[in-house]
Amino acid sequence: MTGFASKVSAGRRRPRWWIVVLAAVMAVPLVAGVSARAEAAGVEWTPYSESDQWTDDSCGYPTDVAATFSGRVGVRAGTGPDAGYLFFTNNYAFREVHTDPATGRWFVVRGNGQFKNVKATPVGGNVFEVTSKNSGRLFVVEDATGKVVLRFAGLVTFRYTVDTGSGDVVDQGVTLAGHVPDASVCSAAGSILGIDSASRLTAHPLGATASPLGYYEYLPPGYGSGAKKPLLIFLHGFGGNGDGTSAQLPNVINDAGIAYYIANNGWAASRPFVVLAPQHNFIESPAFPYPCDVPFGGSCLMQHQHDYGNPLPAGSACWAPSEIHAFLDYALAHYNVDPTRVYLTGLSCGGYGVWESLAQFGAGRIAAAVPIAGDGRPALRSSGCALASAPIWAFHGDADDVVDPAGSIDTIAGLRACPAPPAKELRLTIYPGVDHDSWDHAYSGSQGQDIYGWMLGFTTG
């Protein structure tokens, strides 16, 4: 389990946009610097200036980003005991403008700093390994008036390999440490854009209510007055597991997806759902081993859990349909929601939980479902065409190396091939070049898919 768990934890969320920009700052000068004749005596300085544009959706909503990078990089060859090594010094500055395409509101992220005498270690041929660290106040977030709403202070460590022959730079990972977590960046940005979802989020640890699971609750504006609201149940991934106590329940909002967005001012008030995000507890058991340190380890784990019968209270690394069913019973009994408008979504292990729930109790209870980066093939093999008991819109990245994209592709294809009576509405979206984290695209709608409007188009009545 150790290898698979670490891989899922590392890949469950792409780096936040401010880490991405710092990584880009490093990549630009290194490419320019290694093209210089670093073997010459002294330091050769190369200035650089770049601009770029992209769409960011890592905080739960899309923003159009226009960025500029500038600075200069120095490269020198080591001498004496350091002969054969290269040393980089990078003085950089960057500025991003993030604009909400829906409202025109915007904010700025800017920063500057220096990586000094970073040692590049030869690893073979023309390839060098670079580890660089930057500490202090690395960047600020400003609103449209120039007011600083967040200062990040901490340590960011970048790891790269650099090919001095081709100029290729390969990102080997970014880690950070500091007293301001990345969640605060999304919270600050969302507040500038007029989003205040965090204030409507309430934690309910296990034992504080009659719920069989600890969970988070989001109540939309207008809840409790007028018509009953639709219910959306969000199932977290492997990184959100915990025992439901006040100490471990925050794993749910620190993981990824809808619960993270709500907790960090990334959830639009216009969405009418009551959102409940329960927590699954994985208790390991020697009776249920997971020998899944293999390619597509997530799919391996999901197949094993299905074959074990989704055991509880111990043995299920991912969600089990029986606990989701019990939590849904609790939700319908304790919230003013419309029982004909119950929607289910989840990512990774949560996506698996969606597929398994559809197979076990979806008919007549789930109005529509959105499984993301989960493997539905075990449920399809067991349940066949009955798996399409509700409309399904599945999402996956075609570069996912944790859960096989075939887990969505083959499952939807199999359901589409079902004979009469035809399956419910089935949709499949595959994001080219996207790894395990296909949920930021799907949940934010940044690529044009509106899952929320789609779900609301269905009822079980």
Side-chain angles (χ1 to χ4, degrees):
M1 276 300 300
T2 302
F4 167 74
S6 62
K7 189 169 187 180
V8 171
S9 296
R12 68 180 183 264
R13 187 197 306 161
R14 293 195 310 276
R16 296 296 165 194
W17 43 262
W18 56 272
I19 298 180
V20 173
V21 73
L22 290 178
V25 166
M26 282 299 296
V28 171
L30 285 177
V31 171
V34 296
S35 66
R37 295 185 56 82
E39 295 80 4
V43 178
E44 294 204 12
W45 290 98
T46 302
Y48 61 89
S49 179
E50 291 277 333
S51 63
D52 199 3
Q53 295 182 340
W54 66 87
T55 297
D56 175 74
D57 58 16
S58 59
C59 289
Y61 47 83
T63 59
D64 296 328
V65 185
T68 57
F69 316 89
S70 62
R72 67 173 188 160
V73 62
V75 184
R76 69 175 178 85
T79 59
D82 292 323
Y85 294 87
L86 295 178
F87 291 82
F88 296 90
T89 295
N90 177 31
N91 301 307
Y92 69 87
F94 67 90
R95 186 176 188 269
E96 298 178 16
V97 179
H98 288 246
T99 303
D100 182 345
T103 65
R105 292 186 176 184
W106 54 277
F107 60 91
V108 172
V109 184
R110 62 174 177 82
N112 58 72
Q114 180 187 71
F115 296 92
K116 187 174 182 179
N117 285 327
V118 176
K119 188 176 185 178
T121 304
V123 294
N126 294 322
V127 179
F128 290 78
E129 185 177 77
V130 179
T131 298
S132 54
K133 298 182 179 182
N134 195 2
S135 61
R137 289 189 175 181
L138 303 181
F139 69 88
V140 298
V141 179
E142 300 174 334
D143 65 17
T145 69
K147 178 184 177 181
V148 174
V149 298
L150 178 73
R151 288 182 172 87
F152 176 81
L155 173 68
V156 179
T157 302
F158 301 88
R159 293 179 177 84
Y160 291 90
T161 56
V162 182
D163 189 325
T164 60
S166 66
D168 291 339
V169 177
V170 179
D171 179 13
Q172 299 295 332
V174 182
T175 58
L176 65 139
H179 67 269
V180 181
D182 65 335
S184 296
V185 180
C186 287
S187 294
S191 296
I192 293 172
L193 298 179
I195 307 173
D196 187 30
S197 56
S199 67
R200 308 189 70 84
L201 186 69
T202 303
H204 295 286
L206 184 64
T209 70
S211 170
L213 302 170
Y215 69 100
Y216 281 93
E217 157 204 292
Y218 168 85
L219 301 180
Y223 175 77
S225 61
K228 293 184 175 182
K229 297 292 186 180
L231 172 63
L232 177 61
I233 294 179
F234 166 72
L235 305 179
H236 60 73
F238 188 89
N241 285 346
D243 61 12
T245 64
S246 58
Q248 295 190 18
L249 189 59
N251 293 348
V252 174
I253 59 175
N254 292 333
D255 183 39
I258 289 176
Y260 176 91
Y261 307 145
I262 293 174
N264 293 282
N265 291 329
W267 185 257
S270 59
R271 293 171 184 155
F273 306 93
V274 168
V275 181
L276 302 181
Q279 185 173 48
H280 169 71
N281 189 22
F282 173 33
I283 302 174
E284 295 191 54
S285 168
F288 305 108
Y290 289 93
C292 290
D293 192 9
V294 297
F296 299 119
S299 289
C300 168
L301 180 147
M302 293 168 189
Q303 182 64 62
H304 274 82
Q305 179 173 321
H306 178 87
D307 292 343
Y308 294 148
N310 293 304
L312 289 176
S316 284
C318 293
W319 284 93
S322 59
E323 64 183 332
I324 300 168
H325 186 277
F327 182 76
L328 175 57
D329 285 343
Y330 165 80
L332 291 175
H334 290 83
Y335 286 89
N336 186 33
V337 294
D338 184 347
T340 70
R341 294 192 294 165
V342 174
Y343 308 101
L344 187 63
T345 186
L347 60 90
S348 191
C349 267
Y352 168 83
V354 171
W355 287 116
E356 294 289 304
S357 296
L358 289 171
Q360 294 295 319
F361 64 85
R365 299 211 75 185
I366 306 301
V370 180
I372 302 174
D375 201 322
R377 292 174 297 178
L380 178 64
R381 293 186 190 108
S382 296
S383 300
C385 295
L387 180 60
S389 57
I392 302 169
W393 193 347
F395 290 81
H396 225 113
D398 70 359
D400 191 338
D401 64 350
V402 177
V403 176
D404 193 336
S408 294
I409 297 170
D410 292 356
T411 305
I412 292 296
L415 294 176
R416 285 174 173 167
C418 285
K424 302 285 187 177
E425 177 168 317
L426 301 170
R427 292 191 181 189
L428 174 66
T429 296
I430 302 297
Y431 294 120
V434 173
D435 58 15
H436 192 45
D437 177 4
S438 49
W439 45 83
D440 280 341
H441 284 351
Y443 286 139
S444 71
S446 66
Q447 308 303 301
Q449 296 87 27
D450 177 12
I451 63 170
Y452 308 107
W454 177 81
M455 285 189 288
L456 290 170
F458 301 98
T459 68
T460 57

